[in-house]
Amino acid sequence: YEADPGPAMVRLVQFMVSATGCTTVVTAEMVESLETHELVEQVAARPEAFPGQGSSYPAGATGPEGRRFRANFSELLRQVVVSSSNSILYDGVLMDLLMGLVTSLSSCVMRPLRHTGSLAALTLLPALAGVSVREAKQQELTGRQLEAEGRKRVESRAADRMEVLQTKLDEMAQNQEELDHIINYLFTSVFVLRCKDTADDIRSLCMQQLGAWIRDFPARWVTVMANYYELYFHLQYLHSHVPSHVDCF
């Protein structure tokens, strides 16, 4: 991506489309000329490109094969976030493409697209939250360094060190703001909608991920869910689908 963004973005879109079980080939022209929702609409308009007309697809597969696919798919997306967290994550290109793609997929009528897009978005959320936590810790450390430098006598301060630390702190604050925007966008555009999905397995996926988020990042998600969790808990618990009840607990 750093050497040549174009082909890398085509490969990323192709990966997401292929993960739905679709055999459509994504071209550079499609990625460059179409908005993500238009690209997804083109994919969805060709049901013949889905084996069995979309009745079976990787993300919805049961048994060891399905679990292995979901684990590998999720791990690759987590690695995309981790490997790009130093700079690429904030370039306004890669994450814009990925956000547009997963939200468009997750809102699609076709279940293979909707389920795969939901899985991708719900995987990206905790990965981004992890980056946010690390950024916050580094920001706190840099702030303490700046305060310590400011308490030194003028003649004891390293040349331009306070300016360098302040610039670094400002950049971290901007990155944190961007991360918050991405996380909130994915949460409201995918989780808030898909936890009420008509498909049982998509609703269960949402509840499973919610529990994992609160377990792993309580400081962030307990606050975010203050206005949502009780509503969704009761919504799932009152539903007739038994696995959703288990996921609530």
Side-chain angles (χ1 to χ4, degrees):
Y1 179 86
E2 290 179 320
D4 193 354
M9 292 170 70
V10 173
R11 290 181 65 186
L12 179 61
V13 176
Q14 182 68 72
F15 165 74
M16 291 295 299
V17 170
S18 298
T20 68
C22 180
T23 59
T24 295
V25 176
V26 177
T27 65
E29 182 181 359
M30 292 169 66
V31 175
E32 292 169 2
S33 63
L34 299 175
E35 297 292 333
T36 48
H37 68 89
E38 294 173 330
L39 193 152
V40 170
E41 286 169 3
Q42 279 199 12
V43 172
R46 298 185 62 244
E48 69 276 5
F50 293 83
Q53 299 290 295
S55 59
S56 61
Y57 54 96
T62 58
E65 184 177 344
R67 289 194 294 272
R68 186 163 53 250
F69 169 82
R70 289 186 289 274
N72 292 337
F73 177 75
S74 298
E75 182 58 27
L76 190 145
L77 289 176
R78 281 191 288 269
Q79 288 303 316
V80 168
V81 172
V82 171
S83 62
S84 64
S85 60
N86 289 332
S87 59
I88 297 173
L89 190 63
Y90 313 104
D91 70 358
V93 178
L94 178 66
M95 283 309 300
D96 282 1
L97 172 69
L98 199 49
M99 283 195 301
L101 191 58
V102 299
T103 54
S104 296
L105 286 170
S106 71
S107 61
C108 191
V109 173
M110 286 194 69
R111 184 163 169 171
L113 300 179
R114 194 168 77 253
H115 192 171
T116 306
S118 300
L119 175 60
L122 297 177
T123 298
L124 289 171
L125 273 166
L128 291 164
V131 174
S132 178
V133 169
R134 291 193 295 274
E135 281 278 345
K137 290 179 179 178
Q138 187 60 45
Q139 191 174 356
E140 182 181 357
L141 176 60
T142 303
R144 289 201 300 268
Q145 291 173 337
L146 181 61
E147 290 176 3
E149 195 67 27
R151 288 195 294 267
K152 292 180 181 178
R153 292 176 178 272
V154 177
E155 60 272 15
S156 302
R157 294 175 188 168
D160 299 328
R161 178 158 173 76
M162 288 190 68
E163 183 178 348
V164 170
L165 288 171
Q166 185 61 60
T167 300
K168 186 177 180 181
L169 200 59
D170 293 342
E171 182 181 346
M172 288 178 177
Q174 186 177 351
N175 290 347
Q176 191 68 263
E177 184 178 346
E178 178 67 17
L179 280 171
D180 288 342
H181 168 71
I182 295 172
I183 290 170
N184 292 335
Y185 178 79
L186 288 176
F187 181 81
T188 55
S189 300
V190 180
F191 177 85
V192 170
L193 300 178
R194 299 282 65 83
C195 72
K196 298 173 282 188
D197 200 278
T198 55
D200 296 333
D201 48 1
I202 296 178
R203 288 199 314 277
S204 290
L205 173 65
C206 288
M207 298 311 292
Q208 291 165 7
Q209 291 300 315
L210 172 59
W213 299 342
I214 293 176
R215 179 197 65 209
D216 296 338
F217 306 103
R220 168 176 285 276
W221 292 107
V222 169
T223 302
V224 171
M225 290 305 301
N227 297 323
Y228 295 99
Y229 184 66
E230 185 177 356
L231 169 64
Y232 295 152
F233 181 91
H234 287 294
L235 178 68
Q236 300 301 333
Y237 185 66
L238 293 173
H239 197 275
S240 60
H241 184 234
V242 174
S244 293
H245 297 179
V246 177
D247 293 330
C248 284
F249 289 106

